[in-house]
Amino acid sequence: MRAVVYNGPEDIDVTDVPEGPVGPGQVRLQVAFNGICGTDLHEYYAGPIFVPTEPHPLTGDSLPVVLGHEFSGTVTEVGGGVSTLAVGDRVTVLPVYSCGECLACKGGRPNVCAKVGFHGLSTDGGMAETTVVEASMAFKLPDSVSLELGALTEPMAVAYHAAKLGDPDPSGTALVFGAGPIGIGLWFALKGQGVDDVFVVEPSPVRRASIERLGAKTLDPTSVDVPAFIAEHTGGDGVTAAYDAAGVQASVETALACLGAARTMVSVAIYEKPLETSLIQLVLREARIQGTLCYTDEDYRAVLQLMAEGHYDTTGWVETIAMDDIVTEGFAALQAGQKMKVLVDPSR
Amino acid sequence: MRAVVYNGPEDIDVTDVPEGPVGPGQVRLQVAFNGICGTDLHEYYAGPIFVPTEPHPLTGDSLPVVLGHEFSGTVTEVGGGVSTLAVGDRVTVLPVYSCGECLACKGGRPNVCAKVGFHGLSTDGGMAETTVVEASMAFKLPDSVSLELGALTEPMAVAYHAAKLGDPDPSGTALVFGAGPIGIGLWFALKGQGVDDVFVVEPSPVRRASIERLGAKTLDPTSVDVPAFIAEHTGGDGVTAAYDAAGVQASVETALACLGAARTMVSVAIYEKPLETSLIQLVLREARIQGTLCYTDEDYRAVLQLMAEGHYDTTGWVETIAMDDIVTEGFAALQAGQKMKVLVDPSR
């Protein structure tokens, strides 16, 4: 089968690889769509970061690997002992491997397992015609959810999980920094969690226009004094949650300046270096900075439910490319900011 | 009466001032002891910071003010309508004024009231022979708690409140950075909250020796690789709570490196400037930095209960001076690191 094989930084082959066997408890999927994640970009341009160069403690695999951890597909083969899935089922996959034994796993937090691994980083993933996953990792798509939308479950679950950790007050105001795919996902998630008064702060006019078309209110930090605006808008109380999906000094600084007493700024960005952070602002208002990583089964179920209810809209920010175009139309276009979210169609 | 009047930076008078009237709902106290806080030091050397130069929105007072917000005393006069206190009662005071109307107050968080004020900063305080407070701010000392120990309720409540916000696991390990008065208070509070395995990280041999005499385990970060030690000590799981009562780059950095998955570093320090903070460490382990400010009634009651049970020990780190010696034996000695905690006795 054809697959996107990652060998190292800026070294990708779209080539034929053998299909793996389907073991007990596993299923083979014909992959429909596989999204390119910011993590994949980091691997392509600056990796290997998450891709292991030594055998991964849970998967046993290492470089080279088939990329792809955001995907949907159709079950084509069912391994022994699998009773929850049948050939023809349309599914999306929660691509996390966890040890089940560490303090985090025992505490119900497999997303921060000490040995955490990912399908498509720590072992071969979904940028391929087919892939084999544990049946327990597959979630059936509701009938009304397309395979295209289903492939977005993973990033939307990242954002949904992050939105929850901010503990926003539905009657208050929330602030999202960055209108990339995670910022968009945060906006959908906050709305889905009943928070109606959300502002998205984004300096790029293209990205602002894109999220405005989905219905969002935006602020341009190059022309608006965001803390002053929020102070007036909230009668001095500040926002009940802020989300940094931009990962830069200015977003963190502004978010902390807008935060209400005893409220949370959620960090859902890959910070490339330490930032000057005004911790005194946390102390004086008993506020917090909360990191967030991935999602749990519960987040997947919640996002799929919202998708089934027609809550998510891919208009204007998602496009599909052929697997052979992964570098030019995928990595390079995303890195240059020419595209927002790209799904790879392995059948093309 | 004699009082310590703050006029501005390095400008203090120990002088006679008139006693204020006792209004309805208020009581007059003969002050027994009043601690010098880090906040007082900041006011003396770099203020006015908390002391208002315009009338404070809740107290109506401004510079000059009588300092002192950590004190104990005996009731000498009771205002109209006060039924909870009588002349002769020994009390300590929770010195916070809150508006009762902002989002924080309505949410049960008067400590982060938008207009928060303090007895001894926003209005005349306890570094005086007498002071007048709302009866609702006074907490009776249990019989077994001395007036000297009672004057330490405020800083011990700061630490107790901070300890709680870290949500430490009693069966896990906690880490305290800094063995000053708040670090000592954190150690007492964690023990009081059932956390037995606590390490205090402190570079000063004098401060380490001081807290070791109270029974604490310490780590010298100049000779021990603290993250490596903690990783080995906790079997790789990290600490279940870390507390930064040092407020410097190295303490924040080391604390974050020692933190377990989904756990909390509590910031209980006055950070003088933004610090380079590795937010990616929060993201990858879904950890958080939690600011903490002051305390609530509940913390005062908890600390007084622990004090009554003999849980706190002032040996070796608390000393008393006369009011006239406030600058030389108080501010200057504390600033030079020659003393740890100083109580002013207004009768001397």
Side-chain angles (χ1 to χ4, degrees):
Chain A
M1 63 165 182
R2 302 270 287 166
V4 176
V5 178
Y6 173 78
N7 303 303
E10 302 196 39
D11 183 1
I12 291 264
D13 290 320
V14 181
T15 184
D16 273 314
V17 299
E19 288 193 331
V22 176
Q26 298 184 321
V27 293
R28 186 186 317 280
L29 308 179
Q30 180 181 337
V31 177
F33 297 98
N34 189 308
I36 301 176
C37 174
T39 306
D40 298 318
L41 275 192
H42 276 92
E43 293 295 336
Y44 183 71
Y45 287 106
I49 301 167
F50 283 99
V51 174
T53 52
E54 302 286 325
H56 187 277
L58 295 180
T59 68
D61 290 337
S62 61
L63 204 68
V65 298
V66 174
L67 288 178
H69 60 276
E70 304 179 353
F71 56 99
S72 61
T74 304
V75 176
T76 59
E77 193 180 341
V78 175
V82 175
S83 58
T84 52
L85 291 172
V87 170
D89 282 348
R90 299 156 62 252
V91 300
T92 187
V93 169
L94 191 155
V96 171
Y97 297 94
S98 54
C99 74
E101 292 168 1
C102 69
L103 207 56
C105 282
K106 283 180 181 161
R109 304 260 204 169
N111 56 317
V112 282
C113 166
K115 296 179 177 169
V116 70
F118 297 91
H119 198 77
L121 289 164
S122 321
T123 188
D124 288 344
M127 284 195 202
E129 289 179 85
T130 74
T131 191
V132 175
V133 299
E134 302 298 318
S136 59
M137 296 160 73
F139 288 69
K140 279 188 208 174
L141 295 181
D143 290 344
S144 62
V145 175
S146 69
L147 284 161
E148 184 200 16
L149 185 56
L152 293 167
T153 309
E154 202 268 2
M156 295 302 100
V158 166
Y160 190 91
H161 185 74
K164 275 197 313 187
L165 284 183
D167 193 22
D169 181 342
S171 67
T173 302
L175 203 48
V176 173
F177 290 79
I182 296 298
I184 290 175
L186 281 165
W187 184 77
F188 279 125
L190 287 164
K191 292 282 183 181
Q193 289 169 22
V195 184
D196 284 328
D197 195 35
V198 181
F199 289 90
V200 180
V201 182
E202 170 61 61
S204 153
V206 175
R207 292 198 160 197
R208 277 204 311 280
S210 177
I211 200 166
E212 281 168 4
R213 275 197 300 271
L214 300 171
K217 296 184 285 190
T218 66
L219 297 171
D220 173 7
T222 66
S223 66
V224 174
D225 179 339
V226 176
F229 173 86
I230 290 295
E232 193 183 338
H233 183 74
T234 61
D237 283 324
V239 298
T240 71
Y243 298 88
D244 178 30
V248 296
Q249 182 79 45
S251 57
V252 170
E253 212 171 288
T254 310
L256 293 183
C258 293
L259 209 52
R263 308 307 312 202
T264 303
M265 182 194 99
V266 176
S267 281
V268 53
I270 300 299
Y271 300 91
E272 292 180 349
K273 55 182 184 187
L275 299 179
E276 298 252 313
T277 307
S278 186
L279 299 179
I280 190 70
Q281 298 214 46
L282 299 184
V283 173
L284 295 180
R285 278 177 295 162
E286 204 157 286
R288 73 192 69 85
I289 302 177
Q290 171 71 56
T292 177
L293 189 76
C294 299
Y295 31 69
T296 61
D297 286 14
E298 191 189 327
D299 300 310
Y300 258 57
R301 283 191 289 267
V303 168
L304 288 170
Q305 176 63 32
L306 286 172
M307 285 181 170
E309 292 166 6
H311 185 76
Y312 286 87
D313 182 353
T314 59
T315 309
W317 64 282
V318 182
E319 59 186 278
T320 300
I321 63 171
M323 199 150 64
D324 276 330
D325 299 331
I326 179 84
V327 174
T328 53
E329 298 296 312
F331 295 140
L334 287 164
Q335 185 79 348
Q338 291 157 357
K339 296 182 181 178
M340 186 94 81
K341 188 71 193 178
V342 172
L343 304 183
V344 174
D345 176 354
S347 74
R348 282 168 60 186
Chain B
M1 64 165 181
R2 302 270 288 167
V4 175
V5 178
Y6 173 77
N7 303 303
E10 301 195 39
D11 183 1
I12 291 261
D13 290 320
V14 181
T15 184
D16 273 313
V17 299
E19 287 194 332
V22 176
Q26 298 183 322
V27 293
R28 186 185 316 281
L29 308 180
Q30 181 181 336
V31 177
F33 298 98
N34 189 310
I36 301 177
C37 173
T39 306
D40 298 317
L41 275 192
H42 276 91
E43 293 294 338
Y44 183 72
Y45 287 105
I49 301 167
F50 283 99
V51 175
T53 53
E54 302 286 325
H56 187 276
L58 296 180
T59 67
D61 290 337
S62 61
L63 205 67
V65 298
V66 174
L67 288 178
H69 60 275
E70 303 179 352
F71 55 99
S72 61
T74 305
V75 176
T76 58
E77 193 180 340
V78 176
V82 175
S83 58
T84 52
L85 292 172
V87 169
D89 281 347
R90 299 155 63 252
V91 301
T92 188
V93 169
L94 191 155
V96 171
Y97 297 93
S98 54
C99 73
E101 292 168 1
C102 70
L103 207 57
C105 282
K106 283 179 181 163
R109 304 261 204 168
N111 56 318
V112 282
C113 167
K115 296 179 177 168
V116 71
F118 296 90
H119 198 78
L121 289 164
S122 320
T123 189
D124 288 343
M127 283 194 203
E129 289 180 84
T130 73
T131 191
V132 175
V133 300
E134 303 298 319
S136 59
M137 296 160 72
F139 288 69
K140 280 189 209 174
L141 295 180
D143 290 344
S144 61
V145 176
S146 69
L147 284 161
E148 183 200 17
L149 185 56
L152 293 167
T153 310
E154 202 267 3
M156 294 302 101
V158 166
Y160 190 91
H161 185 74
K164 275 198 312 186
L165 284 183
D167 193 22
D169 181 341
S171 67
T173 303
L175 203 49
V176 173
F177 290 79
I182 297 298
I184 291 175
L186 282 165
W187 184 78
F188 279 126
L190 287 164
K191 292 281 182 181
Q193 290 169 22
V195 184
D196 283 328
D197 194 35
V198 181
F199 289 90
V200 180
V201 182
E202 169 61 61
S204 152
V206 175
R207 292 197 160 199
R208 276 204 310 280
S210 178
I211 201 166
E212 281 167 3
R213 274 197 301 270
L214 300 171
K217 296 184 285 190
T218 66
L219 297 171
D220 174 6
T222 65
S223 66
V224 174
D225 179 338
V226 176
F229 172 87
I230 290 296
E232 193 182 339
H233 183 75
T234 61
D237 284 324
V239 297
T240 72
Y243 299 88
D244 178 31
V248 296
Q249 183 79 44
S251 57
V252 170
E253 212 171 289
T254 310
L256 293 182
C258 294
L259 209 52
R263 307 307 312 202
T264 302
M265 181 194 99
V266 176
S267 281
V268 54
I270 300 299
Y271 299 92
E272 292 180 349
K273 55 182 184 189
L275 299 179
E276 298 251 315
T277 308
S278 187
L279 299 179
I280 191 69
Q281 298 214 46
L282 298 184
V283 173
L284 295 180
R285 278 177 295 162
E286 204 158 285
R288 73 192 68 85
I289 303 177
Q290 170 71 56
T292 177
L293 190 75
C294 299
Y295 30 69
T296 62
D297 286 13
E298 192 189 328
D299 300 310
Y300 259 57
R301 282 191 289 268
V303 168
L304 287 171
Q305 176 64 32
L306 286 172
M307 284 181 171
E309 292 166 6
H311 186 76
Y312 286 88
D313 181 353
T314 59
T315 308
W317 64 282
V318 182
E319 60 185 279
T320 300
I321 64 170
M323 198 150 63
D324 276 329
D325 299 331
I326 179 86
V327 173
T328 51
E329 298 297 312
F331 296 140
L334 287 164
Q335 185 78 350
Q338 291 157 357
K339 295 183 181 178
M340 186 94 81
K341 188 73 193 176
V342 172
L343 304 182
V344 174
D345 175 355
S347 73
R348 281 168 59 184

